[in-house]
Amino acid sequence: MRIALAGNPNSGKTTLFNAITGKVEHVGNWPGVTVEKKEGDVKQNLNPRKENLVVVDLPGAYSMSPYTSEESITKDFVQNENPDVIINIVDATNLSRSLFFTTQLLELGIPVVVALNKSDLTEAKGIAINIPTLSDILKCPVIATVATKSANNGLLELMNAAIIVGKSQKKQTAPFAGGAKKASKEGFEKADKKRYAFVNDVVAEVEKRKISSEKQTLQDKVDRIIAHKWLGIPIFAAIIYLVFSISQAWVGPPLADIFVGWIDLFNETVGSLLGEDVNPVIGALLLDGIIGGVGAVIGFLPLIMVLFFCLALLEDCGYMARVAVVMDRFFKKVGLSGRSIIPMIVGTGCGIPGVMATRTIKNERQRRTMAMLTTFMPCGAKLPIIALFAGVFFGENSWVGTSMYFLGIFVIIIGALIIRQITGDFSRSYFIMELPEYRFPSIKRAAVSMLMRAKAFIIKAGTIILVSNAVVHILQTFDWQFQVVAETAPETSILASIATPLAVLFIPLGFGLWQFAAAAVTGFIAKENVVGTLAVCFGITNFIDVEELALVGSGSEVSAVFGIGAVAALAYLVFNLFTPPCFAAIGAMNSELESRKWLTGAIAFQLGMGYVLAFLVYQIGTLVSTGSLGQGFIGGLIAVAIMVGFVVYLMKKGSKNKQIFAEMQAVKL
Amino acid sequence: MMSLANGKLNTPYTVNRVNTEQEDIREFLFTLGCYPGEKVTIISKLASNYIVSIKDARYSIDEDLAKAIICSNH
Amino acid sequence: MSTVDFVVVGVIALILALAINKIVKDKKKGVKCIGCDACCDKSRKR
């Protein structure tokens, strides 16, 4: 039996799905977290008779007429894929809107069970709902649920009710027949008005509110500070700084120190086990290539876990929707809207769901713009790179991570401005977003989300990263004649000879060394590879205990190992964050952009952006710190000028389109 | 008749029409319960946005949309 | 090569084989990122 979960955004469908199936799909306290359907089997204890029960979680929808593309996934599924039962999740604190969708679902001819979710919140709000009467009027079972609770949550009753209606031969009759197949638009509108009138009558009969919902609440007061015109941005910055401080300076590093100690111990144990008898080439492949390379990446696990824990708490409390309100007026100026912040927030965890979250954006140009730019946010895989350079060159300062986060937002804004000019599409769109209620973030949910991310990170390190490191190690051990490269001539290795031509391009950026070029390239497979490849190439296995490396301190010691200074390191960091993401994320961009032209443009734009930003950071940084320009300035300037010139040319060309667009708009009116 | 953008806080207004050529936003507002005859209340004005109460939910809408919602005071 | 060398080569080969096996298995399942299927459409077609 296939059971579909459908309901309004942020009514708790995915929370309920996770509670029923025991899965850990991403939840967040804002509308539009789920953009794809997810399937899972019902847990044993909710399915005592061991029936074949499959639950499908769907993106939230306000009605059967979809506004954004993730809503149409829901409509298409319930209409075309014939689920056996629909569980309609209704937010108990918002009957008056939710039942509109309910009445539409009841017309489909598929058995419906209503889950009156968030039932624990009604009392505090002075809402009393007469459930038996509601069930009588809707002619379907109505079960009170609290999906966030682990016991007494109504889920067993819900599943039982779903099984009963699913098996019943008797069809449910729709309480309101709107006639979904009215030909004319006016007829449709009239029918929908009647539908709402019906819903209003139902609500009047079953719901009693002691406190009217349009009265000011404490939450509204909090909003007035958090989303304040001038305070909003500093508060946002402070929160992000706090998150990075906790994960990258206060809590993360001490944990990482302990963790890396274990990795080192493991490495030493294996080393002593091998002893002196082993062939040095084979021994090095295991110790430096595989264990060392993976260890260097895995060492950042504690930092990543703490960061994800903090981000999960933020997503859970309802703050992120307010950030959208705060950022709306800045995004408006470049043709985006506050909605655009949602993909960026999701993209801070991983670029792929970030790109997919652009589905919640209505306007096509805005949606594509964000699908192109979202991956500029520092995702989890870029975090080790940030942490590495922050730790090695900047004494574990939390401003590095924070500034990369805000630089990401800034670059996205600039990018959007350029894309708007190039497309010539200056259309404006309205911004509307439901504001979820604040709630105390759940430590448990954050911990579960953190552990899931940690698991994924470890598996990735043990598979893709491990294989990449082994290949890199082999390529740098041998030359083209398959002779072992002499220690005094590492530049004769296969890896060096492949990467050197590329490295020449990086001279104006300050890191024209083949090791850095190779690391940037392996980064496209997975961004963690940047750290892994550097570890393998420089023969470093421990990036956390920087004191041990005697790297903290000024330029000379640092360059002894890496061969670059702090300014070049910052340029390299910027380069890796703002070049195209990993292949998987590029694949996600491809499917959301739905256009070869846009995808090619996106990749070219990202390559150019990474190059230009790194060039600026290195050359300006060198000028400021030493008083003279860095290496390869002229060559780099020419390259940058060509790139900027081309973009300016496209923007000029685009402004002609602007008139065409304006005329098209005029015709539409 | 006035636009919601000129409305006062904490005053329930009745929606008369949604003045826009973008049909889909009108339909979308309808599904949220913002259509002629229904009530809408401004909770606060923040940054460039209006926080409004429609049915039993809070929404953030921008000034453009607030201007498009034509309403009247009882 | 000594016996130790053979053992170490065997261990390396085993580790790589396990890693590649997992990668191939996940790719066949249609998982886009190895180790994480959070974003993949998990509805079974039937």
Side-chain angles (χ1 to χ4, degrees), chain A residues 226-520:
Chain A
I226 278 181
H228 184 269
K229 190 170 184 178
W230 301 116
L231 292 178
I233 297 274
I235 290 174
F236 181 40
I239 287 176
I240 295 299
Y241 183 76
L242 188 70
V243 166
F244 275 100
S245 295
I246 292 171
S247 64
Q248 314 282 294
W250 301 340
V251 182
L255 292 177
D257 275 346
I258 300 169
F259 188 60
V260 165
W262 297 343
I263 298 174
D264 278 352
L265 191 68
F266 178 69
N267 206 343
E268 278 163 27
T269 314
V270 176
S272 60
L273 241 127
L274 293 182
E276 301 292 314
D277 302 338
V278 76
N279 180 315
V281 173
I282 298 169
L285 175 59
L286 183 64
L287 284 178
D288 302 339
I290 294 175
I291 300 176
V294 172
V297 175
I298 287 276
F300 290 99
L301 182 66
L303 272 69
I304 291 177
M305 286 174 71
V306 176
L307 182 88
F308 281 139
F309 184 78
C310 297
L311 288 177
L313 290 181
L314 265 188
E315 289 185 10
D316 208 26
C317 70
Y319 173 65
M320 290 311 189
R322 274 70 187 185
V323 178
V325 178
V326 173
M327 296 302 283
D328 180 55
R329 86 193 131 118
F330 301 102
F331 285 146
K332 273 272 163 53
K333 292 208 165 70
V334 295
L336 297 171
S337 84
R339 283 241 166 218
S340 318
I341 198 82
I342 296 297
M344 290 156 69
I345 289 162
V346 179
T348 310
C350 172
I352 293 153
V355 169
M356 287 166 68
T358 57
R359 286 177 199 172
T360 58
I361 300 170
K362 170 81 179 159
N363 175 287
E364 189 185 38
R365 195 248 312 140
Q366 287 182 21
R367 187 172 62 242
R368 284 180 158 170
T369 302
M370 282 317 294
M372 252 177 93
L373 302 175
T374 296
T375 58
F376 282 148
M377 293 307 285
C379 72
K382 287 173 180 171
L383 217 75
I385 319 178
I386 297 177
L388 163 65
F389 284 91
V392 171
F393 291 92
F394 304 101
E396 283 174 2
N397 250 313
S398 358
W399 66 259
V400 180
T402 314
S403 55
M404 288 305 138
Y405 188 90
F406 282 96
L407 184 62
I409 297 180
F410 179 73
V411 170
I412 288 172
I413 289 178
I414 299 292
L417 191 72
I418 293 171
I419 294 166
R420 184 175 64 167
Q421 292 287 342
I422 291 177
T423 57
D425 177 1
F426 277 68
S427 60
R428 287 171 71 114
S429 62
Y430 298 114
F431 169 67
I432 175 161
M433 185 158 154
E434 185 175 354
L435 287 183
E437 297 216 350
Y438 292 103
R439 66 170 180 220
F440 207 78
S442 150
I443 303 286
K444 191 184 152 205
R445 266 195 297 276
V448 167
S449 148
M450 173 186 79
L451 289 176
M452 282 299 288
R453 303 261 199 184
K455 187 183 147 207
F457 184 78
I458 292 169
I459 295 177
K460 206 170 159 194
T463 52
I464 294 277
I465 312 285
L466 186 142
V467 173
S468 302
N469 285 335
V471 171
V472 165
H473 191 265
I474 291 169
L475 289 183
Q476 76 151 6
T477 305
F478 295 99
D479 62 16
W480 289 98
Q481 280 77 44
F482 277 99
Q483 298 300 310
V484 175
V485 170
E487 243 177 75
T488 47
E491 69 281 358
T492 55
S493 70
I494 301 178
L495 187 70
S497 67
I498 298 173
T500 303
L502 206 61
V504 174
L505 296 176
F506 296 149
I507 291 172
L509 316 185
F511 45 88
L513 297 169
W514 63 266
Q515 292 93 335
F516 287 97

Side-chain angles (χ1 to χ4, degrees), chain A residues 62-63 65 67 71 93-97 100 125 185 189 192-193 196-197 199-200 203 207 209 212-217 220 223-225 227-229 324-326 328-329 332 339 362 428-436 665 669, chain B residues 9-12 18-68:
Chain A
Y62 289 109
S63 75
S65 26
Y67 182 63
E71 281 188 79
T93 66
N94 198 345
L95 269 191
S96 55
R97 183 192 68 208
F100 185 78
K125 292 173 147 253
K185 221 180 75 189
E189 262 184 42
D192 270 353
K193 267 198 153 169
Y196 243 130
V199 169
N200 290 344
V203 172
E207 183 191 88
R209 273 180 188 262
S212 158
S213 63
E214 71 263 16
K215 288 279 172 295
Q216 300 274 347
T217 64
D220 295 319
D223 273 347
R224 240 169 261 148
I225 297 164
H228 184 269
K229 190 170 184 178
V325 178
V326 173
D328 180 55
R329 86 193 131 118
K332 273 272 163 53
R339 283 241 166 218
K362 170 81 179 159
R428 287 171 71 114
S429 62
Y430 298 114
F431 169 67
I432 175 161
M433 185 158 154
E434 185 175 354
L435 287 183
Q665 290 304 118
L669 298 184
Chain B
L9 297 186
N10 303 319
T11 316
V18 180
N19 187 19
T20 171
E21 62 276 1
Q22 289 180 26
E23 191 56 41
D24 40 21
I25 188 76
R26 198 195 340 261
E27 280 171 18
F28 184 60
L29 283 175
F30 187 100
T31 61
L32 302 182
C34 177
Y35 57 92
E38 282 291 320
K39 266 198 325 183
V40 49
T41 311
I42 305 172
I43 300 297
S44 39
K45 295 178 186 177
L46 295 171
S48 59
N49 275 263
Y50 292 69
I51 310 299
V52 295
S53 165
I54 300 168
K55 298 266 172 197
D56 297 317
R58 295 278 193 272
Y59 302 88
S60 171
I61 63 173
D62 60 3
E63 196 170 4
D64 286 347
L65 193 52
K67 276 181 183 157

